[in-house]
Amino acid sequence: GWLDPLSSCEVLERQTERPAEYCQRLGAEQVPTVLLLQEWLSRHLDELKLPQGENPEKREVALLGHCSENALVTLNLDVWRTIFAKFSIDLLTPPAGCCGMAGTFGHEQKHRAMSDELYQMSWHQPVQDAINKAGTILATGYSCRSIIRQQTGAQPQHPLTYLNRLFNEIEG
């Protein structure tokens, strides 16, 4: 399968098994299966060669998923938990709706107030709880990470960025 870090369009196109436009242009047998990053990683966990050193401390981190991804790929956060367990990490996944950014919507000045209101309604408390409990917060969406930085001053990371840093620490 092909790998896509997360395209909202790709997630939406999953609603049909083989998107019609691609089938018309390529032929149904030529349309590749596109995997989200976490789906690809989970399929290759057994191939992952972790360094011999172990994670010296049991870590907890929190992950807030992109709302479209969570809604349309319902096992999304379970897949991430499986991946993080390979590194002996408890992945907290607090329930949260839309962060308020909706792609570029919240980056536009004319929508900023509404974006802030949506964040306060759905993400403020889960983000604060995650920061207080785990200390480290991750978010899959770029705009989700942006609004966390704007609202809290925290420096959220993409889950893969965090895992890469951890892998390098373990490797020494």
Side-chain angles (χ1 to χ4, degrees):
W2 290 17
L3 181 63
D4 182 7
L6 172 64
S7 158
S8 296
C9 294
E10 189 276 325
V11 171
L12 291 173
E13 287 177 354
R14 285 177 169 223
Q15 302 309 301
T16 60
E17 188 171 313
R18 297 280 188 213
E21 179 184 349
Y22 298 146
C23 291
Q24 289 173 340
R25 292 180 187 258
L26 300 174
E29 67 284 346
Q30 295 298 314
V31 177
T33 300
V34 178
L35 301 174
L36 297 172
L37 172 65
Q38 62 273 25
E39 292 169 325
W40 185 89
L41 282 172
S42 71
R43 291 181 184 191
H44 295 277
L45 274 177
D46 292 338
E47 300 166 29
L48 184 62
K49 293 178 178 53
L50 287 174
Q52 293 305 308
E54 293 186 19
N55 183 359
E57 61 201 46
K58 189 76 168 176
R59 299 183 191 197
E60 274 188 347
V61 297
L63 170 65
L64 280 86
H66 186 278
C67 61
S68 295
E69 189 178 12
N70 290 344
L72 298 172
V73 185
T74 55
L75 296 177
N76 171 50
L77 296 176
D78 291 336
V79 173
W80 278 117
R81 273 192 291 278
T82 300
I83 294 166
F84 273 73
K86 181 83 170 177
F87 289 85
S88 300
I89 297 173
D90 288 331
L91 187 65
L92 309 174
T93 55
C98 179
C99 71
M101 293 300 270
T104 61
F105 175 87
H107 290 284
E108 297 173 18
Q109 186 60 37
K110 65 183 178 183
H111 299 130
R112 186 59 190 258
M114 184 182 297
S115 176
D116 288 346
E117 282 184 52
L118 290 168
Y119 177 87
Q120 291 300 319
M121 286 185 339
S122 184
W123 271 46
H124 172 75
Q125 197 59 54
V127 166
Q128 290 305 315
D129 292 347
I131 290 171
N132 293 335
K133 182 169 171 85
T136 300
I137 189 160
L138 311 174
T140 54
Y142 169 79
S143 293
C144 303
R145 293 189 301 277
S146 295
I147 198 163
I148 291 171
R149 275 191 291 280
Q150 292 167 9
Q151 295 283 334
T152 69
Q155 296 299 311
Q157 301 171 61
H158 187 278
L160 187 61
T161 302
Y162 181 84
L163 289 174
N164 185 55
R165 185 180 57 77
L166 180 63
F167 189 83
N168 288 332
E169 282 177 16
I170 293 171
E171 196 171 50

